């Protein structure tokens, strides 16, 4: 089974802090994604990466950046956390090929910015 | 054009009943429509998916009905069980595209014992 591990289940940070959310997958997947989940808004794509050192903006990239130095690891960075970034963050991975490769999600990191 | 509209936002069903969740899309380029199931404290997981060349796909108690002309698709859960209580997300994407899924806003299903 694919395992996508997010390093923290809960995080509390202060406004203005630099925040790193880490994600590791163990299935040698090329594609990795960061989503944000908010009630009533569903899952919104922040960034995705289809190869090491490659990244593409999703639908809501403002205020975020990403890093993918190794195939198995995809990091989401909040350069200066703000209260409107309080949310559940979900990392996912998928195998390469066509768009019907299923997404495998981690269990999420609930970030609170105070 | 890129939205996927999902309804209802929440749903309560008696055990043994049928749960129905509906989604509508606008972009006719979408050609792959998965449903994801999310239990509390867990990430979403693929439940069932359909391509528009068929009007229905069934896997156990779960069925997707697809209406291409109306640009709508729905998830039916037959004989709903308390263990089906979860949040369900519909999604749409293009198979030959850039791996971008557009998700619906989610439906929180509660099945009463």
């Amino acid at each position: 089974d694919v395992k996508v591990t997010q390093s923290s289940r809960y995080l509390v940070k202060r406004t203005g802090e630099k925040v790193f959310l880490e994600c590791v997958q163990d299935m040698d997947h090329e594609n990795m994604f960061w989503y944000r989940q908010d009630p009533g808004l569903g899952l919104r794509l922040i960034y995705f990466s289809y190869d090491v050192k490659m990244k593409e903006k999703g639908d809501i990239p403002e205020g975020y950046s990403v890093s993918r130095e190794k195939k198995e690891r995809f990091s989401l960075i909040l350069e200066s956390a703000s209260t409107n970034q309080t949310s559940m963050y979900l990392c996912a991975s998928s195998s390469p090929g066509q768009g019907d490769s299923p997404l495998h999600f981690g269990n999420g990191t609930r970030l609170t910015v105070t | 054009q890129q939205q996927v509209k999902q309804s209802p936002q929440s749903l309560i069903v008696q055990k043994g009943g049928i749960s129905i969740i509906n989604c509508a899309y606008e972009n006719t380029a979408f050609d792959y429509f998965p449903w994801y199931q999310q239990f509390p404290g867990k990430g979403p997981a693929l439940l069932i998916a359909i391509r528009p060349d068929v009007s229905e796909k069934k896997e156990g108690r779960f069925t997707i009905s697809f209406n291409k002309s109306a640009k709508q698709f729905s998830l039916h859960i037959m004989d709903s069980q308390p263990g089906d209580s979860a949040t369900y997300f519909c999604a749409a994407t293009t198979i030959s595209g850039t791996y971008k899924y557009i998700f619906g806003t989610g439906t929180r299903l509660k099945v009463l014992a």
Side-chain angles (χ1 to χ4, degrees), chain B residues 6-76:
Chain B
Q6 183 172 348
S7 63
Q9 189 172 359
S10 63
L11 182 61
I12 299 175
V13 173
Q14 293 287 339
K15 179 182 176 182
I18 302 174
S19 304
I20 301 174
I21 305 170
N22 300 300
C23 285
Y25 64 98
E26 298 171 352
N27 188 346
T28 55
F30 291 146
D31 57 4
Y32 180 68
F33 302 90
W35 285 87
Y36 280 77
Q37 180 188 52
Q38 183 182 30
F39 292 107
K42 302 291 187 182
L46 178 64
L47 179 64
I48 186 173
I50 196 169
R51 298 188 188 187
D53 51 345
V54 296
S55 60
E56 186 175 283
K57 183 172 182 181
K58 185 174 181 178
E59 290 184 2
R61 297 183 293 106
F62 300 90
T63 300
I64 301 178
S65 297
F66 187 83
N67 185 330
K68 189 173 182 178
S69 60
K71 293 186 285 187
Q72 295 175 347
F73 58 109
S74 59
L75 176 69
H76 296 237

Side-chain angles (χ1 to χ4, degrees), chain A residues 93-110:
Chain A
S93 71
S94 70
S95 56
Q98 295 183 323
D100 59 350
S101 299
L103 295 172
H104 299 270
F105 284 91
N107 288 333
T109 295
R110 185 166 292 282

Side-chain angles (χ1 to χ4, degrees), chain A:
Chain A
D1 263 359
V2 176
K3 191 166 185 184
V4 178
T5 302
Q6 295 184 232
S7 56
S8 302
R9 187 76 183 97
Y10 298 96
L11 272 180
V12 180
K13 297 292 182 180
R14 293 196 180 274
T15 302
E17 277 192 81
K18 190 169 186 176
V19 182
F20 293 85
L21 302 183
E22 307 287 345
C23 175
V24 177
Q25 51 94 4
D26 66 357
M27 281 302 291
D28 203 36
H29 283 169
E30 268 77 4
N31 306 325
M32 295 190 75
F33 307 81
W34 275 105
Y35 285 89
R36 173 174 170 162
Q37 180 176 4
D38 299 288
L41 296 178
L43 304 173
R44 293 180 292 166
L45 181 63
I46 305 171
Y47 267 96
F48 67 102
S49 168
Y50 51 87
D51 202 351
V52 175
K53 297 191 185 293
M54 303 299 291
K55 61 184 179 184
E56 294 270 352
K57 292 181 179 179
D59 299 315
I60 52 165
E62 297 78 19
Y64 303 95
S65 62
V66 290
S67 173
R68 193 158 180 210
E69 296 295 321
K70 293 184 177 182
K71 190 176 185 179
E72 68 271 17
R73 187 179 297 271
F74 193 35
S75 302
L76 180 69
I77 304 159
L78 288 66
E79 294 289 342
S80 178
S82 64
T83 55
N84 63 12
Q85 293 177 310
T86 291
S87 187
M88 172 68 82
Y89 290 88
L90 290 164
C91 175
S93 71
S94 70
S95 56
Q98 295 183 323
D100 59 350
S101 299
L103 295 172
H104 299 270
F105 284 91
N107 288 333
T109 295
R110 185 166 292 282
L111 173 66
T112 301
V113 182
T114 62

